[in-house]
Amino acid sequence: MNSKHKLWGGRFTSETSSLLEHLNCSLNIDRRMYAEDILGSQKYANALYKINLLTEDELQSIHVGLETVRQQWENDTIEFQNGDEDVHTVNERLLKEHIGKPAMKLHVGRSRNDQVVTDMKLWLRSAMQKLESLMLDLIQVFTERAASELDVLMPGYTHLQRAQPIRWSHWLLSHAWNFKADLDRLKSLKPRCNILPLGSGALAGNPFNIDRIHLAKELGFDIVSQNSMQAVSDRDFVLEFLFWCSLTGLHLSRLAEDLIIYSTKEFSFVSIDDSFSTGSSLMPQKHNPDSLELIRGLSGTLCGELTGFMMTIKGLPTTYNKDLQSDKEHMFKANDRLTSMLNVAIGALRTLQLKPKNCKAALSYDMLATDVAYYLVRKGVAFREAHHLAGQVVSLSEEKHISMPELTINDYKTISDIFESDIFNIWNYENSVEQYKVIGGTSKQSVIRQIKFLEQYCNNINNS
């Protein structure tokens, strides 16, 4: 395409290198924003009409023409040309083909610098709404399972070593609270994303005194940007979104890692449904948790999108630079990957098969050593001394090759006269779990409190 036909070609006297044409073209990426670009153009046309830069006939012609362009996108009937650099170029070219000269008035006072960032915010606003819905679904799956599997006991772990008995439902909710925090962070990002940059021009502002506040209302933005130079180069909202995707991905990865471990034969607490598992081309017996492994792996690529774009941003001079063309690719990739990860996580968790007997069988009396210390504390012993004495009980049982409940009262007395026959009352896993009644504990009362809180949280969002 000859330079004089480009949006910017007036001062150029030679053809653009085909190599640069290829590198400069972002249409294969930013075409996803065709609807947002059309919407922004329609509302910008309204602003131009309000200040008499468009006649009523020209305004109507632009609206009708842009709707025709929208239909072409939706019906996939657009014939692209070599000079189509981006979605903005295509939409303007097609509009001119449909309505002629009025299309050439639409861009007055507007730059692709403020146009593209407006499109991105419109697109991201919609994407975040869909992600919010997925996050809500995920939290609800956790709470539903926690409520229906409330009484299942299992080992809790630190350092991947058996630590203390807990409820399976408490483990489920430990992840639900992470995702609740993620959802809160996503909701807090929305107002910072919803600041209108349109009307900033290339960098100096708009010289035609358009009503930016009314334009913001028409496009559903909360407020308008206050500095045109900052507005056209601002991609903090992209970085925040990429960070949010990365952190949510890390939480998904940790969930996946737990479930991968719990699904091994060595643990066998859960079984991943066949619909979210794969087999081996060599070993017929294999039942691989590929859905969870993919989530774990893709979480790293989300972090890569964040760090990659941070390095793009860090050295840029003020206002728009073409380096920012990569912003959309990072944003789209992160959104798409996280959306897939969330959908798979929801499906895998919903169809997960719990094995309560195996969970209970994994409990061992050494996990109640802390309860021995608590027993002594309740009898007035300082905790550090109680901890030491409980350690001696563990050591004696190992020395005798028997479990702690099998020690006699005389064995206990050799360690401390404080031990009485009621020490044998602590060797009950259910009683152990039920002592943690404080807010945040693993007792049934506390877990039910968590479930109710999260259920109400989800209901409030659904009804808002």
Side-chain angles (χ1 to χ4, degrees), residues 229-254:
M229 295 180 72
Q230 184 269 344
V232 297
S233 61
D234 173 41
R235 295 298 184 274
D236 287 0
F237 68 97
V238 178
L239 288 173
E240 280 200 75
F241 177 68
L242 294 177
F243 171 75
W244 180 83
C245 289
S246 299
L247 184 56
T248 303
L250 294 179
H251 289 151
L252 285 168
S253 181
R254 295 186 66 187

Side-chain angles (χ1 to χ4, degrees), residues 393-418:
V393 174
V394 174
S395 179
L396 182 60
S397 71
E398 291 176 347
E399 180 184 325
K400 288 178 170 287
H401 302 291
I402 59 177
S403 67
M404 287 186 284
E406 294 176 299
L407 294 172
T408 67
I409 187 61
N410 289 332
D411 291 327
Y412 282 101
K413 290 287 189 182
T414 63
I415 296 171
S416 173
D417 286 335
I418 297 174

Side-chain angles (χ1 to χ4, degrees), residues 333-349:
K333 282 184 177 179
N335 175 78
D336 294 349
R337 284 173 180 155
L338 185 60
T339 296
S340 295
M341 291 164 67
L342 285 168
N343 276 313
V344 170
I346 291 167
L349 187 63

Side-chain angles (χ1 to χ4, degrees), residues 114 117-118 121-122 125 189-198 200 212 216 220-227 230-231 234 237:
D114 61 344
V117 69
T118 301
K121 287 187 172 184
L122 288 170
R125 191 170 67 192
L189 170 57
K190 291 166 71 175
R192 292 191 294 281
C193 179
N194 215 31
I195 302 171
L196 177 71
L198 194 57
S200 298
R212 295 189 67 211
F221 286 90
D222 298 327
I223 56 176
V224 301
S225 58
Q226 297 297 308
N227 184 287
Q230 184 269 344
D234 173 41
F237 68 97

Side-chain angles (χ1 to χ4, degrees), residues 165-406:
I166 60 168
R167 294 187 182 278
W168 156 259
S169 51
H170 194 53
W171 173 86
L172 284 169
L173 295 175
S174 72
H175 288 283
W177 285 105
N178 281 338
F179 294 117
K180 187 263 184 189
D182 290 329
L183 181 49
D184 287 340
R185 271 186 287 268
L186 180 63
K187 291 168 73 67
S188 73
L189 170 57
K190 291 166 71 175
R192 292 191 294 281
C193 179
N194 215 31
I195 302 171
L196 177 71
L198 194 57
S200 298
L203 79 160
N206 188 297
F208 296 103
N209 199 30
I210 62 170
D211 188 344
R212 295 189 67 211
I213 294 176
H214 182 73
L215 187 56
K217 290 180 180 178
E218 283 210 304
L219 286 169
F221 286 90
D222 298 327
I223 56 176
V224 301
S225 58
Q226 297 297 308
N227 184 287
S228 58
M229 295 180 72
Q230 184 269 344
V232 297
S233 61
D234 173 41
R235 295 298 184 274
D236 287 0
F237 68 97
V238 178
L239 288 173
E240 280 200 75
F241 177 68
L242 294 177
F243 171 75
W244 180 83
C245 289
S246 299
L247 184 56
T248 303
L250 294 179
H251 289 151
L252 285 168
S253 181
R254 295 186 66 187
L255 167 67
E257 174 69 0
D258 274 0
L259 290 176
I260 289 168
I261 292 171
Y262 292 165
S263 68
T264 61
K265 292 293 184 182
E266 287 72 17
F267 281 76
S268 200
F269 293 170
V270 300
S271 177
I272 312 302
D273 191 77
D274 285 354
S275 59
F276 288 93
S277 304
T278 66
S280 165
S281 61
L282 177 65
M283 299 166 283
Q285 85 282 6
K286 293 301 294 297
H287 187 260
N288 299 327
D290 281 21
S291 58
L292 301 173
E293 292 171 355
L294 286 166
I295 287 173
R296 188 176 59 186
L298 285 171
S299 67
T301 67
L302 290 175
C303 295
E305 298 298 337
L306 170 63
T307 55
F309 192 52
M310 286 178 70
M311 292 306 98
T312 298
I313 292 289
K314 80 170 185 64
L316 291 186
T318 304
T319 72
Y320 184 82
N321 297 269
K322 201 60 178 245
D323 314 50
L324 292 175
Q325 184 161 286
S326 68
D327 53 7
K328 294 166 287 297
E329 187 171 8
H330 290 294
M331 182 176 72
F332 292 153
K333 282 184 177 179
N335 175 78
D336 294 349
R337 284 173 180 155
L338 185 60
T339 296
S340 295
M341 291 164 67
L342 285 168
N343 276 313
V344 170
I346 291 167
L349 187 63
R350 182 171 282 136
T351 58
L352 188 74
Q353 298 153 36
L354 178 64
K355 300 179 179 180
K357 290 183 180 179
N358 291 350
C359 292
K360 184 176 181 179
L363 296 170
S364 54
Y365 287 119
D366 61 302
M367 299 174 66
L368 300 182
T370 305
D371 292 44
V372 176
Y374 289 162
Y375 164 88
L376 293 169
V377 167
R378 291 185 176 100
K379 289 185 176 291
V381 179
F383 178 73
R384 286 303 169 203
E385 182 183 354
H387 184 282
H388 181 75
L389 293 173
Q392 289 184 310
V393 174
V394 174
S395 179
L396 182 60
S397 71
E398 291 176 347
E399 180 184 325
K400 288 178 170 287
H401 302 291
I402 59 177
S403 67
M404 287 186 284
E406 294 176 299

